[in-house]
Structure formats: C-alpha cells, structure tokens
Amino acid sequence: MTKLDETLTMLKDLTDAKGIPGNEREPREVMKKYITPYSDEISYDGLGSLIAKKEGNPNGPKIMISGHLDEVGFMVTQIDEKGFLRFQTVGGWWSQVMLAQRVTVVTSKGDITGVIGSKPPHILSPEARKKPVEIKDMFIDIGASSREQALEFGVKPGDQIVPYFEFTVMNNEKMLLAKAWDNRIGCAIAIDVLKYLKNEEHPNMVYGVGSVQEEVGLRGAKTAATMIKPDIAIAVDVGIAGDTPGISEKEALSKMGKGPQIILYDASMVSHKGLRDFVVGVADELNVPYQFDAIAGGGTDAGSIHITLEGVPSLAITIATRYIHSHAGILHRDDYENAVKLIAEVIKRLDQETVNKIKFD
Ligand SMILES: [Zn+2]
C-alpha cells in the first residue's frame, strides 16, 4: 500500500469516521482535531455542527465555508427473533448498491460487523433474478443466532449502521477510493482552506463549518448559519462525475480531474450570480481549472444557508465524484486541491466593499 502523506492521512481519518445524520460525534472529533491548529475559536450549534472561526479583520464580512459531517447509512429499527436486524435507510439509497455489502453497527458496547443479506442465485427463479430486491425486504446479518444474542452484543433500536470500506489510494495515485467522500471531502476542504490562510492576511472573518444532518434535509447548515450570520457562504460537497460508461453528457457533463465544479442550479438553489461571477473571475485570474454543472435533483447545504435570516449570497463548489451514495466513491486529488486554492484565494479578496458589490450584482 502507498505510504500516506499528511493530507492522505487526514482524508483516511475523515472518511473512516462513522457518522450518519444525527450521529456525527466521531467525524466531528476528527474534524476538530485537524481544524483546531488553524482556528482561533471552536464552537457548536445546538444540533452539533462544528464552527471553527479564523480571525482576519474583526470588522470585515463573515465568510462561511461549509462541508457536512454526516454520511448516508442506516438505522436499526427492529431485531427479529432469529437475531437479524431490520433497518431504516437514512439519506438517499438505491436498492441495487446495497445487497451483500459489509456494514458496521455502532453499539454502546462497541462496533459490530454485519452484512446486508442476499439470496444465492441458485434458488432464484429467472424472473426473480431480473428484479431488484426492495429495500423494505432487506435485513442485516450480524452473525447472532437469536434476538437475545443480538441484545447481548449490545445492539439496540436506534443504533447507527454505517457502510464499511477501506480507504484506498488507487494505482493512479491521484484516484482516491473510500466510503463517505460525501461529504468528508467537504470537511477536508474547510480544514485546508483555514490551513491555507494560516499565514495570510484576509480582510474578513472566516468560519469553517462541519454541519450535521445534511443528508436528511440540509438541517445543520441552517442552524450553524443562524449562529454565524454570514455575509457570504460557500457550501463544499461532492458532485456528479459523468465520465463513466453509460452516463451521457446530457445527464452529467463533469469529468474527474478537470477542476472543481461550480454549481449553477440544483433543486435547492439558484446560485448567486454576483458571487458566482466573482469566483469564476478569481479562477480565471489564477488559472485554476473549473467546470460548470447544473443538477435538476439534489441540493447542498447552500440551499438552506442562502434562505437563512435575511438571506445570504451563496454558492456550491463541488468535487466530481463517482458512485456517491454507495459504499465506495472515487475522486481525483487535483480537484480537491484546486478547490482549496480557489476558495482560499476568493476569501483573500472578500473585503467589505467587494461583498457589497457582489450582493447587488
Ligand atoms: Zn449526499
């Protein structure tokens, strides 16, 4: 295996952490560990979003950079008499990526390995083989032989169930394979933007945020934004990579490695024109590659931040990622590093006058 450098070690720690919506303690602690050296103050909103403040000019505008801490997963709802677990999906899942996948059940007595059970093809009729299994018929096998034994293992209704995958640097070392890129890469960008600004002057106050409960409706970003009262917000998240077989350019245009995505439109927001034009201008000035994207479905934390309080000019900048909302996603390291550079350079230029101009563009 490739020796992990400082950045890869952080990415591994972030993606390994287990945290479905409402259960973000572990990723929050990892983010706190990595962002604290570059922050002046750490605080939390009432739902558990992490807010790391970096002071530039205390009289300058407030800039919020938000990645979400939670990942899609499942929750234990029932334990049947034979010891199998029934579950609720938390966040959006497609049934076809779930069967026979390894999961971790996080209990008060520690982590338990399980697998989403499936039938062997030998006993499936030709018609049944063609049909997807419905999520409501799926179960998790933790190797318990009875409900009593599952309870002894520590499993309780409400426990989170998290996809399991090994963080892997692929043969092309720019290609990184892991669970939970959605959205630990956003948390990593927020951390690295503060790191980039460590010894730089910036005419504003920067807030690096790890928000909670994005996957169930952009909830923590709203509460965090209410605390911060930002003048400008950028949500950082994963976006769709359209560069695999079977995806047409009409469905998704972006290619991994071709730069961060600047989202024009999604189901949660029309990106703020003034802010978008400003960010594109900075990218052009510095020759940072970027790609535009519009996604008719889905949304990011920016969708909830921009309608908080009296309204916040907001933009989503995303990293084209393959296979999101499954056990294993792939992204390109250059896109991540270019996103950090672009956002940090934008922040360096956001003084009060510029923000005023952006607002009414
Ligand atoms: Zn997501």
Side-chain angles (χ1 to χ4, degrees), residues 68 70-72 91-92 182-183 214-215 237-238 299 324-325:
H68 67 86
D70 57 314
E71 64 190 297
V72 294
D182 183 5
N183 186 17
E214 190 269 357
E215 295 290 357
D237 208 325
V238 297
I324 56 174
H325 286 218

Side-chain angles (χ1 to χ4, degrees), residues 64 66 217-226 229-235 263-273 275 298-316 359:
M64 173 176 180
S66 192
L218 323 178
R219 295 174 186 168
K222 183 182 207 126
T223 47
T226 304
K229 301 182 179 64
D231 296 288
I232 294 281
I234 296 175
I263 303 299
L264 307 168
Y265 176 95
D266 64 36
S268 71
M269 188 177 75
V270 178
S271 70
H272 188 275
K273 185 179 178 306
L275 180 57
T300 71
D301 272 344
S304 121
I305 298 167
H306 84 295
I307 46 170
T308 298
L309 300 165
E310 298 108 67
V312 183
S314 302
L315 183 68
K359 272 193 182 171

Side-chain angles (χ1 to χ4, degrees), residues 125-137:
S125 67
E127 302 81 71
R129 287 190 201 202
K130 283 185 210 145
K131 270 199 254 151
V133 177
E134 288 192 57
I135 293 173
K136 68 174 175 49
D137 296 325

Side-chain angles (χ1 to χ4, degrees), residues 104-297:
T104 305
V105 186
V106 181
T107 81
S108 54
K109 289 191 186 170
D111 291 352
I112 293 174
T113 295
V115 64
I116 301 179
S118 62
K119 285 187 189 174
H122 314 65
I123 57 167
L124 291 175
S125 67
E127 302 81 71
R129 287 190 201 202
K130 283 185 210 145
K131 270 199 254 151
V133 177
E134 288 192 57
I135 293 173
K136 68 174 175 49
D137 296 325
M138 294 183 193
F139 60 89
I140 289 168
D141 185 342
I142 53 166
S145 48
S146 64
R147 178 185 289 136
E148 288 63 41
Q149 190 169 40
L151 291 169
E152 262 169 49
F153 290 170
V155 180
K156 285 198 285 283
D159 284 346
Q160 64 165 327
I161 305 166
V162 184
Y164 177 89
F165 206 84
E166 300 256 348
F167 178 87
T168 306
V169 179
M170 299 181 87
N171 263 33
N172 171 351
E173 292 188 358
K174 296 281 190 184
M175 300 286 225
L176 307 177
L177 172 65
K179 81 168 180 73
W181 281 132
D182 183 5
N183 186 17
R184 306 293 157 65
I185 195 63
C187 301
I189 292 168
I191 294 166
D192 276 355
V193 164
L194 263 64
K195 183 180 179 182
Y196 189 107
L197 294 171
K198 187 170 166 55
N199 297 313
E200 301 266 356
E201 303 247 322
H202 54 100
N204 44 40
M205 301 292 273
V206 182
Y207 297 80
V209 174
S211 66
V212 297
Q213 301 195 34
E214 190 269 357
E215 295 290 357
V216 288
L218 323 178
R219 295 174 186 168
K222 183 182 207 126
T223 47
T226 304
M227 259 185 84
I228 295 165
K229 301 182 179 64
D231 296 288
I232 294 281
I234 296 175
V236 277
D237 208 325
V238 297
I240 309 293
D243 55 358
T244 54
I247 301 183
S248 69
E249 289 202 337
K250 238 162 110 185
E251 288 170 301
L253 197 56
S254 292
K255 295 180 175 43
M256 285 175 34
K258 299 287 182 204
Q261 299 164 303
I262 293 176
I263 303 299
L264 307 168
Y265 176 95
D266 64 36
S268 71
M269 188 177 75
V270 178
S271 70
H272 188 275
K273 185 179 178 306
L275 180 57
R276 190 181 75 217
D277 289 347
F278 183 77
V279 169
V280 168
V282 173
D284 287 339
E285 178 195 329
L286 300 173
N287 284 317
V288 178
Y290 59 90
Q291 11 187 11
F292 287 117
D293 205 4
I295 318 161

